[in-house]
Amino acid sequence: RMRKSLPATLGALGMTKTCPTSSALTSASPFASASMVRLTPLAAAIADSVSPALPARLRTAATEPSAALPRLAGARLVAAGFARVVRVPLSVDIEGGFSDAPADVAALAARLVDLGVAGINLEDGASPPSLLCAKLEAIRERVARSGADLFVNVRTDVYLRGLAKGAEAAEETLRRAAQYREAGGDGLFVPGLADLDTATRIAREIAPMPLNLMLVPGLAPVDALREAGVRRLSAGAALAELALGDSRER
């Protein structure tokens, strides 16, 4: 559904079908400075989860980690491949870190830094916030030992999974944001949130932590999002799926 509605969504936002997958604003050194000031065109390459809809002839262990490799090894392969060819800061979505063990997630983050990755997305999913906090603390300790910079964009699934409703969803998001920021998170990604007033409030209360939203039907135009304090927009795998759909139609 997202793939089919994406062109209309982009049009309503004042963007084109060929626009990048994300407008990035972050605070770690590769993403910093002007990107913290306002919503701007893409400043980062996002290596997102690969869709199972990818044609079989194009699927490899590198593009579909779950097919031929353990997901952890696959994530490293994907990151290494992107890092060799992109000339912009590279951010990798590692879901929940492919482990509930904070030390293992920190080891993955450190390996990605070694490969040249500048940022990661790390999500809480259905797990308790305390687990993600432990992962964030382990990542910060491990990366600090190397003297490197890594921007950690923390994804909370309160809205996406319907973990709370109405006003309570905003309150729970803010509670988690405070915990994640204290544990070492740099940015907050709230997929599923589309209400402009709520986004404005969350952006204001978590500042200077930048707020990241997902492109969904009904989302306000970019200018309104910028004024609301949103600093990053993501389409996840939707644009790649759209492109693949167009290639099949041709």
Side-chain angles (χ1 to χ4, degrees):
R1 290 195 302 271
M2 177 64 182
R3 185 178 73 80
K4 292 179 181 178
S5 62
L6 190 60
T9 301
L10 294 175
L13 288 167
M15 305 166 80
T16 67
K17 186 176 176 181
T18 56
C19 76
T21 59
S22 170
S23 293
L25 316 258
T26 54
S27 62
S29 56
F31 291 143
S33 267
S35 64
M36 288 293 290
V37 178
R38 59 191 178 89
L39 203 60
T40 58
L42 181 70
I46 312 297
D48 211 324
S49 302
V50 177
S51 169
L54 195 63
R57 68 181 183 278
L58 297 179
R59 283 201 297 261
T60 67
T63 59
E64 192 181 42
S66 59
L69 287 173
R71 292 176 65 80
L72 182 62
R76 288 194 288 249
L77 266 177
V78 171
F82 272 97
R84 284 196 299 269
V85 298
V86 299
R87 295 294 179 268
V88 291
L90 173 64
S91 181
V92 178
D93 185 340
I94 62 170
E95 302 181 6
F98 311 111
S99 174
D100 284 340
D104 292 343
V105 179
L108 171 60
R111 177 58 179 146
L112 293 175
V113 169
D114 289 342
L115 292 172
V117 170
I120 59 172
N121 266 30
L122 187 66
E123 66 193 56
D124 52 17
S127 299
S130 58
L131 178 58
L132 184 53
C133 286
K135 292 177 182 180
L136 289 167
E137 290 166 355
I139 288 171
R140 282 297 167 221
E141 181 181 354
R142 181 70 178 262
V143 172
R145 292 205 302 262
S146 70
D149 287 310
L150 180 69
F151 185 92
V152 183
N153 195 37
V154 184
R155 173 178 138 177
T156 182
D157 284 356
V158 172
Y159 284 89
L160 192 65
R161 293 176 178 265
L163 302 179
K165 301 294 184 182
E168 180 55 29
E171 296 300 329
E172 179 61 20
T173 297
L174 287 168
R175 281 193 291 269
R176 294 186 181 212
Q179 294 177 60
Y180 298 156
R181 181 173 52 218
E182 180 68 21
D186 295 300
L188 183 70
F189 182 23
V190 189
L193 172 59
D195 181 73
L196 185 62
D197 289 340
T198 303
T200 301
R201 180 194 170 195
I202 291 175
R204 181 179 65 247
E205 295 197 22
I206 68 171
M209 195 182 199
L211 176 62
N212 180 185
L213 295 185
M214 179 177 283
L215 290 169
V216 293
L219 195 64
V222 168
D223 286 347
L225 293 172
R226 181 187 297 116
E227 289 303 314
V230 177
R231 292 294 175 261
R232 178 167 166 172
L233 292 176
S234 300
L239 288 181
E241 291 174 358
L242 179 64
L244 288 170
D246 285 350
S247 69
R248 290 194 188 98
E249 291 169 5
R250 295 191 183 115

